[in-house]
Amino acid sequence: MSHTPGTGARTGSFLDEVKDAVTPRATLLVLGVIALQLLFIASYVGALHDPKPKDVPFGVVAPPAAAEQTVSRLERLPGSPLDPRTVADAASARRQIMDREIDGALVAESSGRTDTLLVASGGGTVLATTLESLVSKVERAEGRTVRTVDVAPASARDFDGLSSFYLVVGWCVGGYLCASILAISTGARPANPRRAAIRLIVMALVSIVGGLGGAVIIGPVLGALPGSVVDLWGLGALITFAVGAATLALQGLFGIVGIGLAILLVVIAGNPSAGGAFPLPLLPPFWKAIGPALPPGAGTWAARSIAYFKGNDTTASLVVLWAWAVAGTLITVLAAVLRHRRHEAKLPTQAG
């Protein structure tokens, strides 16, 4: 039986190299990547594969008796797509749409057989067309027709009303990528409070520049979104810093795994629930519930309000973003202080 000299040694050397390369830590990180990959697929497909309207806030303008009948008829639609309520007049319906209290309204005309449907494609063209299709079927069943009036139309260069969402996604990506680079450039954890403070300051400066850049590109350069460039700039800076500070906080608490947790929150949970591709009333209940509490959802709502609804109804979204920014900042600093104290406490023991 022949034996090739050195084969055993080479095999042993190869196995040693594999063991050196595939450490337990590397194995756990690879498993974490696989988990994020599968969660990404499950979240996006789960949230977006079968959009259906559910309890869409909807106004009805009609004489009292007719209004009650119309509301009752809309409430009985299969699957409860609408949450109808009476509105005093067409002007009130328009105001409530612009204040983002309702997403559409049916104005029943007292004479003739044609009613008016008020929608706002600036809040999401998919939702506007869904309401148009749904109400048209109801009206046909009653022997009536409907004409659609868009009271807050999306820009002609804002295809499907997605520009706000992609703008916010860009700001979020800038936030967690910048924070990740700052966090891993000199080690997996903040070494001391001074370094943590420097990272937060750099993150703030990057947020200001990135917020301005995004607002200028989406507005004056591409003409994709109307609205105040200054307001969008402020929103972009806040979104970028909120996501960046949250990423630094998670990394400070959990090391490099924290970066994966940030991606889990912002990309895997936040993006499909943001109301971008499909506005919130079209999402499944879980995604509809969590979306407004995460930076992509809060940012998308605020960006659309600035662009198409005169900045109305942004308070809740801005509070959410400020909460992420403040909590991320405090946790980042606190994690660094506690770690620094633990490190100093070990020094006398090590010296002894």
Side-chain angles (χ1 to χ4, degrees), residues 203-235:
M203 192 68 247
L205 294 174
V206 169
S207 299
I208 292 171
V209 175
L212 176 60
V216 170
I217 290 172
I218 204 75
V221 175
L222 297 178
L225 280 185
S228 168
V229 172
V230 173
D231 289 347
L232 288 174
W233 177 13
L235 176 65

Side-chain angles (χ1 to χ4, degrees), residues 8-300:
R10 287 197 299 272
T11 302
S13 177
F14 174 74
L15 293 176
D16 290 339
E17 290 179 1
V18 170
K19 291 178 181 179
D20 290 338
V22 188
T23 62
R25 182 169 180 268
T27 301
L28 289 175
L29 290 176
V30 169
L31 291 175
V33 169
I34 294 173
L36 286 176
Q37 178 189 51
L38 297 180
L39 285 171
F40 183 95
I41 295 170
S43 66
Y44 277 73
V45 177
L48 306 177
H49 77 289
D50 187 23
K52 294 179 180 177
K54 179 70 174 178
D55 295 329
V56 180
F58 189 79
V60 173
V61 179
E68 292 178 5
Q69 294 176 357
T70 303
V71 167
S72 177
R73 186 167 64 249
L74 295 177
E75 285 178 334
R76 293 195 303 268
L77 290 174
S80 300
L82 301 178
D83 178 17
R85 72 286 305 267
T86 58
V87 179
D89 50 42
S92 297
R94 287 174 176 267
R95 179 186 56 77
Q96 289 187 29
I97 291 174
M98 290 303 298
D99 289 342
R100 309 201 75 178
E101 296 176 9
I102 58 177
D103 291 308
L106 178 64
V107 181
E109 304 296 341
S110 56
S111 60
R113 307 292 295 175
T114 300
D115 297 326
T116 301
L117 172 65
L118 305 178
V119 297
S121 61
T125 57
V126 175
L127 179 57
T129 55
T130 299
L131 289 176
E132 185 175 8
S133 175
L134 189 64
V135 172
S136 294
K137 291 180 181 179
V138 173
E139 290 284 277
R140 281 198 299 270
E142 296 295 318
R144 302 181 67 84
T145 58
V146 63
R147 68 184 185 94
T148 301
V149 176
D150 197 340
V151 301
S155 166
R157 297 185 180 181
D158 183 12
F159 178 74
D160 271 357
L162 290 173
S163 296
S164 299
F165 171 62
Y166 288 126
L167 174 64
V168 171
V169 168
W171 281 328
C172 289
V173 169
Y176 68 72
L177 283 183
C178 180
S180 300
I181 291 170
L182 291 171
I184 66 176
S185 60
T186 54
R189 293 178 183 269
N192 51 54
R194 179 173 173 271
R195 181 176 296 164
I198 291 172
R199 290 174 180 175
L200 287 167
I201 291 171
V202 172
M203 192 68 247
L205 294 174
V206 169
S207 299
I208 292 171
V209 175
L212 176 60
V216 170
I217 290 172
I218 204 75
V221 175
L222 297 178
L225 280 185
S228 168
V229 172
V230 173
D231 289 347
L232 288 174
W233 177 13
L235 176 65
L238 178 57
I239 292 170
T240 306
F241 183 79
V243 172
T247 303
L248 288 173
L250 290 169
Q251 195 273 339
L253 292 173
F254 303 107
I256 196 171
V257 174
I259 297 174
L261 294 176
I263 294 174
L264 176 65
L265 284 172
V266 176
V267 179
I268 294 176
N271 285 354
S273 65
F278 300 118
L280 292 176
L282 299 178
L283 296 180
F286 172 75
W287 302 103
K288 180 181 178 179
I290 68 171
L294 297 173
T300 299

